[in-house]
Amino acid sequence: MKAYRLLTAPDDSAFCHKVTKALNEGWELCGSPQYAFNASEGAMYCAQAVTKEVEGEYTPDVKLGTI
């Protein structure tokens, strides 16, 4: 199956580490990163989609952060 995750975080080094960790776990980038301004916090947020081919069939119980 092809698994999908959308990684999000404030626009700082922690976001880069989150994406780097996913890449090192076999996830692949899917599209370009996106940015949005959170007016209530006055901060930019990032999002990056990632996908990964894994064995098995999809069920709603799949823990995407652990595959």
Side-chain angles (χ1 to χ4, degrees):
M1 87 168 172
K2 183 174 249 184
Y4 169 90
R5 291 173 61 196
L6 182 64
L7 306 174
T8 61
D11 185 14
D12 59 17
S13 65
F15 176 74
C16 295
H17 286 283
K18 184 186 280 192
V19 174
T20 299
K21 182 177 185 282
L23 294 173
N24 280 281
E25 292 173 346
W27 293 86
E28 296 182 13
L29 298 177
C30 180
S32 299
Q34 300 294 307
Y35 298 93
F37 183 69
N38 181 331
S40 66
E41 293 184 16
M44 290 298 291
Y45 272 70
C46 300
Q48 174 64 60
V50 292
T51 60
K52 183 179 185 180
E53 283 291 335
V54 295
E55 297 209 11
E57 302 232 355
Y58 171 77
T59 69
D61 299 325
V62 172
K63 304 290 185 217
L64 297 172
T66 62
I67 56 174

